Structure formats: C-alpha cells, structure tokens
Amino acid sequence: MTIAYACVLFMGLFPYVAAGIAKKGFEQYDNANPRQWLAKQTGFRARANAAQANLFESLPLFFAAVIIAHIANAPQSRIDALAIGFVIARIAYLICYIANWPTTRSIVWLLGLICVVTIFCQV
C-alpha cells in the first residue's frame, strides 16, 4: 500500500472522529433520531457535526485525485507528499472548526484544496 493509499483509508475514516466529537458526552443522545438530536446541538458539538459533513464532502475529489494520479503513473513521491499535505490540512481543519477559528479554518481548507488540485496537476 502506498502512502497516498494509506491517506485515502485514513481520510475515509476520519469524518467519524468528528462525529464522535459531536456526540461527546451523549447528553440526552437519541440514537433513534440522531440527525434530529445533532440538529439541536450548539457550540463545539454543532461545529464538529458541520466539520463532519465537510470532511465527507471533500472525500470524492481527494479519492479521485489519488486514484487518477496512480493510474496515470504520476511520480509516487509527489502524490504521497501531497496526500500527506491534504491529511494534515484536514486534521487542522477539524481542530480549527471545533476551536471556532473561522479564518484559520478557511486558510487550512484552502491549503487542502490546493493539495488535491496539485495532485491532479501531476497527471
């Protein structure tokens, strides 16, 4: 497994970390209606839930970039480095979202997007 493929696996699971943070403490958590419960949350729980959604939304483009770059035989070291950059940016994104640092969050979001676009440019 390449480093980039390991990053794909990690990112496929990472949104569940945000989901766990959103449900942290499970105060009056309603497993029968989890989306309704999450919709009523505020503070860090609401931000973690929003981060979870954004993390899931970012996956298709990242997955496609890595797979297409592999198929096109792009330089593996560059794909790996950019995939790691994307992972680091997305971890920082979650931290910034939960901490309520919107400007920094937007910057690291953009850095992650740049990593993905640059992976495509390796093709």
Side-chain angles (χ1 to χ4, degrees):
M1 177 184 303
T2 67
I3 291 171
Y5 280 163
C7 290
V8 165
L9 175 60
F10 177 84
M11 287 308 303
L13 299 172
F14 189 59
Y16 299 107
V17 172
I21 294 168
K23 297 173 184 176
K24 184 179 185 284
F26 299 100
E27 294 174 18
Q28 300 174 341
Y29 179 72
D30 183 1
N31 198 41
N33 296 296
R35 291 180 188 223
Q36 290 174 344
W37 180 84
L38 281 167
K40 295 176 187 174
Q41 299 310 302
T42 59
F44 81 90
R45 282 191 179 87
R47 291 190 301 275
N49 188 47
Q52 170 196 198
N54 188 273
L55 288 167
F56 275 121
E57 292 162 1
S58 70
L59 295 180
L61 192 62
F62 174 63
F63 290 178
V66 170
I67 292 166
I68 290 168
H70 274 282
I71 290 169
N73 292 317
Q76 188 62 51
S77 60
R78 287 190 210 153
I79 300 169
D80 290 343
L82 291 163
I84 290 170
F86 178 79
V87 168
I88 291 168
R90 298 311 279 169
I91 291 169
Y93 176 84
L94 177 60
I95 292 166
C96 291
Y97 218 136
I98 292 168
N100 200 21
W101 301 332
T103 302
T104 307
R105 181 187 82 217
S106 294
I107 291 167
V108 296
W109 178 89
L110 180 60
L111 292 174
L113 181 61
I114 289 169
C115 287
V116 172
V117 171
T118 306
I119 292 171
F120 274 113
C121 291
Q122 302 306 304
V123 175

